[in-house]
Amino acid sequence: FGETQPAQAKKAGSMDLIVTGICWYVTFLFCTVLHEAAHALAAKIGGDMTAYYGGQVSVDPVPHIRREPIGMVVLPILSLIITRGSWPFGYASAPYDPYWAELHPKRAAWMALAGPAANLLTAVGAGVLLRVGYAYGVFEIPYSITLTAIATGVSEGIWSVLALFLSMVFSLGLILAVFNLIPIPPLDGSGALSLFLGEELTLKYRHMMSQPAFAMVGLVVAWNVFGPVFRPVFHLAIKLLYPWMK
């Protein structure tokens, strides 16, 4: 006699989770690869060819996954499974020559800023496309805005999937930009402090940053302050995207 309504609803909910999880992982790869490629390109422009020779000056995810398979594959997929489709958590890295960074601390600082800047530009680009979709009537503003629903499609199908993907790119781009700009080692915001420090202080600070203990403590502190920092930034971004909303 066919499936009961609760069984059908359960199957539909499972499919929604799978689609959301796949979209989140694709978004994670997209945003993370752009972040690391921007680091690598900025280092190349500044004279350090380490990441370029490692294949990181590329939007191809393969060299980035090859360098950090745990952070690029295992951890984000596990985090999506554990949180049932919440935003993924992972990491990646682009190699650089520490001797080059000591000789050229300002260039190294711009290299550090390049990753978050790429994510911010990605979020802006997604926001522009969301507004264009809204203007042409293929997207609408959801009743409740979340990380996965900055906009929704007016009908099922391609527009709904595209709205979901652009919402995730917008949100994850902001998340990566804000998190990495927190000025605590080992995050990019800490590396950018060299732009505001003298040469002697920069050398001392970079030496301190290189200690593994500071990196571990820094990540714990950054994770705990991220929420209070991100929430007002996210609300401001939504206000800029939809200025007529209260």
Side-chain angles (χ1 to χ4, degrees):
F1 295 101
E3 293 179 298
T4 63
Q5 287 186 347
Q8 291 174 338
K10 185 176 181 180
K11 182 181 288 186
S14 297
M15 285 303 300
D16 286 344
L17 279 176
I18 291 171
V19 171
T20 300
I22 291 172
C23 284
W24 262 132
Y25 183 64
V26 171
T27 303
F28 170 82
L29 284 181
F30 176 69
C31 292
T32 306
V33 166
L34 285 180
H35 181 103
E36 299 304 330
H39 280 317
L41 179 60
K44 179 177 181 285
I45 292 171
D48 178 15
M49 306 296 286
T50 307
Y52 173 75
Y53 292 139
Q56 267 73 44
V57 185
S58 171
V59 293
D60 179 0
V62 174
H64 301 277
I65 291 173
R66 188 183 297 121
R67 177 171 170 80
E68 297 286 5
I70 301 297
M72 292 287 287
V73 179
V74 178
L75 193 56
I77 291 177
L78 277 178
S79 67
L80 284 169
I81 293 172
I82 292 170
T83 61
R84 294 181 60 81
S86 184
W87 60 278
F89 177 79
Y91 62 88
S93 64
Y96 69 93
D97 183 355
Y99 181 67
W100 166 82
E102 286 191 13
L103 287 178
H104 307 287
K106 304 299 183 186
R107 298 182 194 179
W110 287 115
M111 175 192 69
L113 284 176
N119 292 136
L120 186 58
L121 287 174
T122 302
V124 170
V128 169
L129 292 176
L130 287 168
R131 280 294 301 273
V132 170
Y134 177 79
Y136 278 88
V138 296
F139 296 156
E140 59 187 2
I141 303 173
Y143 177 76
S144 177
I145 291 178
T146 66
L147 295 178
T148 56
I150 308 300
T152 55
V154 296
S155 61
E156 294 296 326
I158 183 64
W159 296 118
S160 290
V161 175
L162 186 58
L164 176 65
F165 178 68
L166 288 175
S167 295
M168 290 176 172
V169 172
F170 180 86
S171 299
L172 193 57
L174 277 180
I175 287 170
L176 290 175
V178 172
F179 182 71
N180 282 285
L181 283 175
I182 296 174
I184 299 174
L187 301 178
D188 297 328
S190 177
L193 288 178
S194 299
L195 291 172
F196 310 101
L197 301 175
E199 185 175 345
E200 186 176 347
L201 277 176
T202 294
L203 290 174
K204 290 180 178 178
Y205 184 71
R206 292 191 66 84
H207 177 71
M208 181 188 73
M209 279 177 34
S210 65
Q211 305 302 314
F214 279 100
M216 292 300 296
V217 172
L219 284 174
V220 172
V221 173
W223 187 255
N224 281 279
V225 304
F226 172 69
V229 171
F230 179 72
R231 277 190 290 271
V233 173
F234 183 71
H235 291 155
L236 175 61
I238 296 301
K239 185 66 177 176
L240 291 173
L241 184 63
Y242 304 128
W244 59 87
M245 291 182 62
K246 294 182 179 180

